[in-house]
Amino acid sequence: MSRRRMHLAAHFPGVNNTTVWADPESRSQIEFSSFEHLARTAERGLFDFFFLAEGLRLREHKGRIHDLDVVGRPESITVLSALAGVTEHLGLAATVNTTFNEPFELARRFATLDHLSGGRAAWNVVTSSDAFTGENFRRGGFLDRADRYTRAAEFLEAARELWGSWTPDGVTRPFAHRGRHFDIAGEFTVPRPPQGNPVVIQAGDSDEGREFAASAADVVFARHSSLEEGRAFYADVKRRLAKYGRTPDDLKIMPGIGVVLGDTAAEAQEKAAEIRRQQTSPQTALLTLEQIWGVDLSSYDPDGPLPDIDPVVDPALTQGRTRRGDTVAIAEKWAALSREKGLSIRQTVIEAGGRQLLIGTPDAVATELDDFVQREAADGFVLVPHLTPGGLDEFVDDVVPRLQERGAFRTAYRGTTLRSHLGLPDPVRKG
């Protein structure tokens, strides 16, 4: 059995409390030099792509601007278009919402990015049923929550029809899409993208999100907390592909992770503990718990026990933020963890509420990453550093060479497009 090689991507930090802004090495989240530094580092490490999140409104908590939100996050496709000029191989992935955009305009922007980059564009398809965010747009909160994936699926279908309306030899044909959400017709103004279709990424752990990924996505940006959870997610999503005429290799599953390195295991653990303390201040701990319990917990001591009350579904407490899922089940899980280990509110949030973190020496981290891939818990990883923009430097310098030595990661780019980096098939052109 041949050894499975992993895929790697870089997430630009600056979202939620992952980024440690108080660190002396932390820099701007909007100056182009920050984006350029991280992108060049990722390309030096032979990563598949560079990934940008999206922010459509400043979030609020209890009627005030969210303490952990980031003011001044620029528009992703504009940033990636600039990065196309300072990189040669790195894929460029933008998160763009299907709820508050239109297929023609968005297909045009991604086709343009694909041309400018020579076939390196990717679209992280996200949805929103949040009327609070929708207040920034003409149609506001018009979309029912139940409709968000049906609109996203039709949006993506329409975009692919637009990209496919040009033949590979440069002949344009009229398009017409008639559906529940979109009724559009005309001629697409941008020639066929070099990749045929830009790579489609999807993030979502719900059943409908998994089904959407199996039917339409090329990459899943996942979130696992253990090898066992990763294997279960991987098997579930991959088995769904067959009903859509797809093979397991047609979809790459890449959980987001953070990495903390040290010369010894003890040093790495000490560094990780300090990073987690910086990421989870007492105020952050209470805020995080309030998002799950749905009630004002400002009277509680962050260094005291968890509240002995049932959670309340109260979406008005925090606005503009994706819900964490079944908050009652999460609250029960966190309370059990707190009781079992005798953890305070802050300690519980640090242990249970953060993104998966791999901690250890470069050798140990390389081994663990490789193990996830070989045991089919992932096809690769999206690295989420805690520093802007130098948080990836150590990983590229110390871990990537060890992955290469064991044959777990590429030693050179073999193709020119993001599809070639990911080993994805060319899209089937209809008509």
Side-chain angles (χ1 to χ4, degrees):
M1 184 175 178
S2 60
R3 188 175 192 80
R4 303 178 72 231
R5 285 194 172 187
M6 74 180 63
H7 299 280
L8 293 174
H11 186 288
F12 185 81
V15 181
N16 302 325
N17 65 311
T18 301
T19 308
V20 179
W21 296 109
D23 193 289
E25 297 299 317
S26 181
R27 297 291 182 266
S28 172
Q29 83 282 3
I30 193 170
E31 291 179 4
F32 182 67
S33 59
S34 291
F35 296 101
E36 183 179 13
H37 180 108
L38 193 74
R40 286 187 182 274
T41 302
E43 186 162 77
R44 178 166 60 84
L46 305 177
F47 279 39
D48 293 76
F49 60 89
F50 174 94
F51 181 71
L52 285 175
E54 178 183 63
L56 295 179
R57 179 166 181 174
L58 292 176
R59 297 164 298 167
E60 295 181 7
H61 184 70
K62 293 187 288 192
R64 302 180 65 183
I65 296 299
H66 196 299
D67 288 347
L68 303 176
D69 214 338
V70 178
V71 179
R73 286 163 60 185
E75 194 278 321
S76 295
I77 294 181
T78 304
V79 174
L80 296 179
S81 296
L83 289 177
V86 297
T87 56
E88 296 181 16
H89 302 282
L90 188 68
L92 304 168
T95 302
V96 185
N97 197 293
T98 59
T99 305
F100 307 119
N101 285 284
E102 295 295 325
F104 185 93
E105 174 59 18
L106 199 54
R108 190 168 68 99
R109 291 164 64 197
F110 274 108
T112 301
L113 177 61
D114 209 47
H115 279 287
L116 288 175
S117 64
R120 297 186 279 135
W123 173 19
N124 180 37
V125 180
V126 296
T127 65
S128 175
S129 59
D130 180 8
F132 173 79
T133 302
E135 290 175 1
N136 278 346
F137 299 87
R138 179 174 61 86
R139 294 190 177 185
F142 79 99
L143 185 65
D144 290 336
R145 185 176 182 86
D147 290 336
R148 62 178 186 165
Y149 277 112
T150 60
R151 178 182 167 96
E154 187 180 338
F155 194 118
L156 181 56
E157 178 186 357
R160 283 173 165 160
E161 289 172 9
L162 292 166
W163 294 325
S165 66
W166 283 71
T167 65
D169 55 355
V171 177
T172 182
R173 301 167 302 171
F175 70 85
H177 177 92
R178 313 293 185 193
R180 176 186 172 191
H181 294 279
F182 306 106
D183 185 352
I184 57 177
E187 291 194 7
F188 193 47
T189 57
V190 183
R192 187 176 188 268
Q195 296 185 102
N197 295 344
V199 168
V200 171
I201 305 170
Q202 192 269 339
D205 192 40
S206 67
D207 185 73
E208 55 191 353
R210 296 182 189 202
E211 200 67 25
F212 178 59
S215 67
D218 300 306
V219 176
V220 175
F221 182 36
R223 179 170 180 161
H224 308 327
S225 60
S226 68
L227 177 67
E228 291 71 25
E229 286 185 10
R231 284 173 57 84
F233 180 90
Y234 189 96
D236 177 61
V237 174
K238 295 280 187 171
R239 71 170 175 78
R240 298 174 189 241
L241 292 165
K243 75 175 75 173
Y244 301 104
R246 307 181 71 197
T247 71
D249 288 338
D250 291 343
L251 178 67
K252 309 302 179 184
I253 296 177
M254 300 178 65
I257 62 167
V259 172
V260 179
L261 300 173
D263 292 335
T264 65
E267 180 186 325
Q269 288 290 345
E270 185 178 345
K271 287 171 63 176
E274 178 58 26
I275 289 168
R276 282 172 163 161
R277 282 193 294 270
Q278 291 176 309
Q279 290 172 328
T280 309
S281 66
Q283 295 83 358
T284 298
L286 286 178
L287 182 150
T288 302
L289 213 66
E290 287 176 338
Q291 291 169 349
I292 296 172
W293 259 256
V295 295
D296 186 338
L297 300 175
S298 57
S299 63
Y300 282 77
D301 180 2
D303 294 318
L306 265 66
D308 188 19
I309 56 175
D310 293 329
V312 175
V313 178
D314 182 12
L317 193 68
T318 298
Q319 294 181 296
R321 181 184 178 91
T322 302
R323 291 182 60 78
R324 288 174 171 262
D326 185 346
T327 54
V328 174
I330 295 172
E332 291 176 350
K333 181 179 178 180
W334 286 25
L337 175 67
S338 177
R339 288 192 301 270
E340 178 187 350
K341 297 189 175 183
L343 303 178
S344 67
I345 289 175
R346 187 181 183 191
Q347 290 169 332
T348 302
V349 172
I350 288 173
E351 181 155 341
R355 186 175 300 279
Q356 181 183 4
L357 199 63
L358 297 187
I359 306 166
T361 65
D363 282 325
V365 168
T367 298
E368 191 167 356
L369 291 172
D370 188 29
D371 191 45
F372 262 76
V373 174
Q374 302 311 320
R375 297 182 62 184
E376 297 189 336
D379 293 307
F381 305 90
V382 179
L383 273 293
V384 186
H386 69 280
L387 282 181
T388 306
L392 201 62
D393 295 6
E394 196 174 11
F395 182 91
V396 168
D397 292 337
D398 296 336
V399 178
V400 168
R402 288 168 168 80
L403 293 172
Q404 293 168 330
E405 288 170 3
R406 63 177 60 213
F409 189 60
R410 67 169 64 94
T411 57
Y413 288 112
R414 302 298 183 188
T416 60
T417 68
L418 179 53
R419 283 189 174 275
S420 66
H421 302 342
L422 292 167
L424 295 170
D426 292 332
V428 176
R429 192 173 66 85
K430 300 179 180 180

